[in-house]
Amino acid sequence: MAWLKILLSLLFVKHCTSQNWWQSPENGPTCKPGTCGENDETCECSLTIEHRLTMMTTNPPSLVRPKNGRLYLYNDTSFSFPLSDKEMSEVITADGYGSRLVIAVNGKFPGPTIEAYEDQTMIIHVRNLMHTDSTTIHWHGMHQKGTPRSDGVAFISQNPILPGLTFTHRFSAQPHGSSFYHAHIGDQRSMGLYGGLIIYPKYKFFSQPQVGFTVLLQDWNHDDEPETLYQRMLNGVFDLNKFTQIEPTQSIDGANFSRFHIHSALINGKGRFYEGQYENYDRKRYTSNGAPLETFKVQYGQSYRFRVISASTLYPFRIYVQGHRELNIRASDGFEIVRGTGNNSRDLIVESFIIHPGERYDFTINANQTRGTYLLVAESIEDLSKKNPPEYHAAEAIIQYEGTTTTYPNKDSTEQNHCTSQTPCVTFNCPYLYYPTTNYRPCLTFDIANSNESLSKFKEVENVDETLFFNFAFPGEPGNTPGSVNGHQFISPTSPILTNEEDLTTHCSNSDCGNDKICSCTYNVELSSDRVYQFVITNLGNGRGWSHPIHLHGHYFYVMKMGFGRYNTDTGKFMTSTTDIECFGSKNYCNSAQWSNTNWTNASNSIPGLQLDYPPEKDTIIIPTGGYVIIRFKANNPGAWFFHCHIDLHNTNGMGMVLLESKDKYQQKDQSKSKDKRTDDIYINSKGDSTYNESHQIIVLLTILGLMLSI
């Protein structure tokens, strides 16, 4: 009966093994740069997720503290014995303030950057070793064409990964460019569950160099875990010493950010915390805690690509390089951009640019300045002018010319680039139209850019089949909650809507939702296959006041136009919303809308200001307060795709929806079996044993019974 034992053993194995396959992540390589070769057909590795503490050594554990860019054991009161470089590399520092809980990936914070090549098959095993928290991983920027179940959104494409289990993602590395992976359940991204994902292009004539530095950006808070941050957004933040309520932060145009306050920011998990005081009435002085910073080494005369990826929870940052006034913007969200088309095409050269949560920007600089040490700075665009004591919120990294002495720069010696009327500091991707005139900082909005993709398919969206309006806002009382799309606060289903739509119990009803109503339900809209959709994404009505970076899963889109309200051209302050759009309803929720000008027909190109010639491609775009953005895309990717604000706290509060695209096609596709059984989705427990679905068990049992009967 040995043959029967062999057959029965099939019940406990889902996949056939091969030379390149392993059942448990413990038996295979962990994800890290260099894992995948350019000539490999498959890029396969594992990510292990667990909790760690900042400012602690390992084996043995000990608290450390910073000074002048080095770390010292907590009891080294004279700062006489700095940790070695290797010992420091094993410490998660954040901004060096206190010791707080974070989420590490493969022991790193943030997780390791995965480098792959366009069209490779990605097989990534995600193992959850957190004791009580479930999780998922979304591959931000990957279109998941034909593999919607690997998109990694909790209850949209999959169930969360329970503690002790592993989930295997399989997808194609498309498109090329700078992307990243991050948690897509609750607000775990704010604790560090993210990492870079760089896909190198097949086409060798994109802007060079392609290999460069990855800059992962995050805003940072000392006190609160994700659930606490969310509750404070709902209930307010209070100063427990003065027993006063702390007002929401604002940008320079007067638009609100959030009740969520930050203390600093990080680049690649490192930063430093500043405390400020007034030297006199006009001058502020800042002192940092001396925590270590990330260092990028460059050679004089060489050109370098920096891939800036914003994994921020909420705040936008303005990026500049001290002493290097010319940043050449090469790509946004992975897609190459320039300014102008044809013979008028030219590089997009700016002094700085603004990046919002979920966005990615590639820029190149020439290392042609005086050899020395400079700072790459990501400065929050909050208006902190009225803070007392003064506050400064920025992420910093060191750019060091090789052959120079290593120094630890202080802020006072590294002021930002000087802007004058003769040498203005042009800033790209502003969420508003103006800085105050005294800043000498002209704003360029994103829609001035053009695509530089050699294979751009912009002609396929030249004619629109249908236009839909979506308002992302906080309507209702007290005016800042709930987050919603067209007045629908999104409620996650209890089963993945992609595969279990029939189990949905939180449908949106006509009686509960409407122009003057706010409803809580699983808001979804069906899209028909191969139709060209024009989305008018708005930020209007009494729920406006916060700029929102909106991310579309499963697609890139073409940015056709950005529409803004009216601003004071001297102060830069927002005055009134755009008049291009008419909102319906007596309560001004703007749950439904139309063009104010009836000649702007939905199915034609009669709207003035449309970018019809090589519009730029993107997957995340900022919607300015009181304004709108027009995007277009072709519905050619069957699946259930999340469409949401990429500010975690807003998303958690309901500012999202699902696009059910080509339902007839993706249901049939998901029910079919993969020809390569090694690459089916799989859950594995922490011991490496497979847990598989009942249909697979039945198939194996029937096979065994058939063999027994034939014998």
Side-chain angles (χ1 to χ4, degrees):
M1 297 296 289
W3 61 269
L4 183 58
K5 292 182 179 179
I6 294 173
L7 289 174
L8 289 173
S9 69
L10 293 174
L11 287 171
F12 303 98
V13 179
K14 181 178 181 184
H15 302 296
C16 297
T17 59
S18 72
Q19 184 177 0
N20 298 318
W21 176 256
W22 55 89
Q23 286 291 334
S24 168
E26 296 161 330
N27 300 327
T30 58
C31 297
K32 58 184 179 296
T35 297
C36 308
E38 185 173 2
N39 297 320
D40 296 340
E41 291 184 3
T42 299
C43 176
E44 187 170 11
C45 59
S46 62
L47 299 174
T48 298
I49 300 169
E50 58 191 337
H51 283 119
R52 290 277 301 275
L53 290 173
T54 65
M55 299 302 287
M56 294 288 295
T57 62
T58 58
N59 197 26
S62 179
L63 182 69
V64 296
R65 53 181 175 169
K67 184 177 182 181
N68 292 330
R70 304 299 302 184
L71 296 178
Y72 300 81
L73 293 178
Y74 74 98
N75 53 1
D76 183 2
T77 56
S78 61
F79 297 98
S80 301
F81 304 101
L83 271 61
S84 67
D85 289 344
K86 182 179 184 304
E87 291 171 327
M88 283 181 55
S89 69
E90 296 171 352
V91 177
I92 296 173
T93 58
D95 71 349
Y97 183 95
S99 180
R100 63 157 289 185
L101 188 71
V102 296
I103 299 175
V105 185
N106 291 354
K108 303 294 184 181
F109 169 86
T113 294
I114 302 171
E115 296 178 348
Y117 296 84
E118 193 172 11
D119 294 337
Q120 278 183 332
T121 297
M122 309 294 294
I123 303 177
I124 312 293
H125 312 282
V126 180
R127 182 170 57 155
N128 181 9
L129 292 189
M130 294 186 289
H131 293 160
T132 58
D133 292 355
S134 299
T135 193
T136 64
I137 295 292
H138 167 56
W139 309 92
H140 187 115
M142 297 294 98
H143 293 166
Q144 302 292 351
K145 201 156 190 176
T147 56
R149 295 178 71 172
S150 285
D151 196 40
V153 185
F155 301 114
I156 307 300
S157 58
Q158 70 172 85
N159 284 315
I161 307 170
L162 298 176
L165 293 186
T166 295
F167 182 82
T168 296
H169 294 264
R170 175 189 181 271
F171 57 92
S172 179
Q174 294 177 347
H176 57 259
S178 301
S179 297
F180 68 123
Y181 59 89
H182 61 79
H184 218 303
I185 184 172
D187 302 311
Q188 290 178 344
R189 194 176 81 234
S190 68
M191 292 183 69
L193 211 175
Y194 62 89
L197 176 62
I198 309 302
I199 309 298
Y200 293 113
K202 281 185 174 181
Y203 184 66
K204 300 301 181 184
F205 297 99
F206 279 125
S207 58
Q208 298 297 327
Q210 282 290 320
V211 176
F213 301 114
T214 300
V215 180
L216 289 156
L217 180 62
Q218 181 184 3
D219 41 17
W220 192 244
N221 177 283
H222 293 159
D223 305 321
D224 299 326
E225 310 303 340
E227 291 77 11
T228 311
L229 293 176
Y230 179 64
Q231 291 299 320
R232 296 205 192 287
M233 186 193 80
L234 297 180
N235 300 295
V237 181
F238 293 84
D239 186 324
L240 299 181
N241 294 318
K242 299 178 181 178
F243 292 100
T244 57
Q245 187 169 12
I246 300 174
E247 294 300 316
T249 52
Q250 292 186 326
S251 62
I252 60 101
D253 66 337
N256 291 324
F257 279 130
S258 177
R259 290 169 173 168
F260 163 54
H261 289 245
I262 61 172
H263 296 101
S264 59
L266 313 176
I267 289 177
N268 296 348
K270 299 177 182 178
R272 52 187 178 183
F273 173 58
Y274 282 96
E275 294 183 285
Q277 63 186 50
Y278 285 101
E279 285 188 349
N280 53 52
Y281 181 79
D282 295 321
R283 181 171 173 77
K284 304 171 185 176
R285 184 168 63 87
Y286 298 94
T287 304
S288 81
N289 61 354
L293 300 177
E294 181 80 326
T295 299
F296 303 113
K297 292 190 176 182
V298 299
Q299 290 185 350
Y300 181 84
Q302 299 295 314
S303 178
Y304 291 89
R305 178 179 289 253
F306 287 79
R307 299 175 180 269
V308 184
I309 299 168
S310 178
S312 295
T313 299
L314 187 142
Y315 285 94
F317 290 86
R318 186 176 64 83
I319 312 296
Y320 68 91
V321 178
Q322 177 212 1
H324 297 69
R325 293 184 60 90
E326 292 192 351
L327 308 185
N328 192 343
I329 306 296
R330 298 294 194 174
S332 176
D333 297 354
F335 296 96
E336 300 267 323
I337 56 175
V338 289
R339 190 168 187 183
T341 60
N343 294 331
N344 295 320
S345 176
R346 60 195 186 278
D347 287 338
L348 182 50
I349 306 292
V350 297
E351 181 268 344
S352 59
F353 64 92
I354 293 173
I355 189 169
H356 304 270
E359 288 189 305
R360 294 89 69 205
Y361 278 95
D362 295 13
F363 72 89
T364 57
I365 62 168
N366 292 318
N368 56 7
Q369 301 301 305
T370 303
R371 292 176 174 86
T373 298
Y374 299 87
L375 283 181
L376 168 65
V377 181
E379 195 173 80
S380 165
I381 66 170
E382 301 164 274
D383 181 1
L384 300 174
S385 61
K386 297 179 181 179
K387 292 289 186 179
N388 188 10
E391 295 182 19
Y392 179 66
H393 303 154
E396 299 164 308
I398 297 171
I399 296 178
Q400 180 185 357
Y401 281 68
E402 290 189 358
T404 61
T405 303
T406 301
T407 60
Y408 185 75
N410 296 314
K411 182 181 183 302
D412 288 342
S413 62
T414 56
E415 294 297 329
Q416 62 183 339
N417 300 329
H418 189 54
C419 310
T420 68
S421 58
Q422 288 74 36
T423 57
C425 297
V426 178
T427 300
F428 178 57
N429 196 36
C430 294
Y432 31 71
L433 288 180
Y434 306 99
Y435 274 89
T437 53
T438 53
N439 287 23
Y440 302 110
R441 186 172 293 284
C443 266
L444 299 180
T445 57
F446 181 80
D447 58 342
I448 62 94
N450 292 90
S451 172
N452 197 32
E453 290 285 326
S454 60
L455 300 177
S456 178
K457 298 179 180 179
F458 70 94
K459 290 289 186 182
E460 71 179 9
V461 299
E462 196 168 33
N463 297 309
V464 173
D465 293 311
E466 187 174 357
T467 296
L468 300 173
F469 286 76
F470 295 106
N471 191 42
F472 286 75
F474 285 101
E477 301 298 336
N480 64 331
T481 187
S484 68
V485 183
N486 289 350
H488 302 74
Q489 181 184 28
F490 186 79
I491 302 297
S492 290
T494 56
S495 298
I497 195 172
L498 176 70
T499 55
N500 299 74
E501 188 184 350
E502 66 279 1
D503 296 339
L504 184 63
T505 59
T506 51
H507 294 279
C508 301
S509 67
N510 291 332
S511 59
D512 294 331
C513 308
N515 287 344
D516 294 317
K517 297 179 181 179
I518 301 170
C519 55
S520 298
C521 57
T522 303
Y523 185 35
N524 59 82
V525 171
E526 293 188 18
L527 304 182
S528 299
S529 180
D530 294 323
R531 286 170 65 85
V532 173
Y533 285 90
Q534 177 171 272
F535 284 5
V536 184
I537 315 172
T538 62
N539 184 357
L540 298 172
N542 66 5
R544 63 140 181 88
W546 293 259
S547 296
H548 301 293
I550 305 303
H551 175 51
L552 174 61
H553 290 224
H555 286 277
Y556 66 88
F557 48 74
Y558 297 92
V559 179
M560 310 302 294
K561 178 183 178 180
M562 299 183 74
F564 290 81
R566 290 181 57 242
Y567 292 80
N568 183 309
T569 57
D570 291 327
T571 65
K573 297 299 183 183
F574 174 83
M575 296 171 63
T576 60
S577 295
T578 179
T579 56
D580 292 347
I581 294 173
E582 177 186 359
C583 296
F584 297 117
S586 60
K587 293 186 178 181
N588 195 28
Y589 289 168
C590 206
N591 292 345
S592 62
Q594 67 177 16
W595 295 118
S596 299
N597 189 332
T598 56
N599 292 324
W600 293 14
T601 57
N602 292 338
S604 74
N605 293 323
S606 59
I607 302 168
L610 288 177
Q611 178 72 278
L612 296 173
D613 192 17
Y614 283 92
E617 298 96 332
K618 222 173 182 322
D619 60 46
T620 307
I621 187 70
I622 188 68
I623 315 300
T625 183
Y628 63 93
V629 176
I630 302 174
I631 67 171
R632 291 180 183 178
F633 66 96
K634 188 174 183 178
N636 56 8
N637 189 12
W641 306 116
F642 206 32
F643 183 42
H644 64 103
C645 177
H646 212 268
I647 293 173
D648 263 0
L649 300 174
H650 297 182
N651 179 35
T652 304
N653 195 232
M655 196 174 288
M657 61 178 295
V658 176
L659 301 175
L660 299 174
E661 181 178 340
S662 309
K663 289 174 59 176
D664 56 328
K665 291 187 176 182
Y666 76 73
Q667 288 177 342
Q668 182 178 2
K669 186 174 183 65
D670 280 344
Q671 289 169 359
S672 64
K673 288 292 180 180
S674 170
K675 292 181 180 180
D676 181 4
K677 292 185 178 181
R678 295 192 308 109
T679 58
D680 290 341
D681 294 339
I682 180 174
Y683 280 101
I684 307 173
N685 64 31
S686 58
K687 295 181 180 180
D689 301 322
S690 301
T691 61
Y692 46 93
N693 59 43
E694 294 180 357
S695 62
H696 180 78
Q697 298 180 46
I698 293 170
I699 291 171
V700 175
L701 283 171
L702 290 174
T703 302
I704 294 172
L705 289 173
L707 288 171
M708 293 176 67
L709 290 173
S710 65
I711 294 173

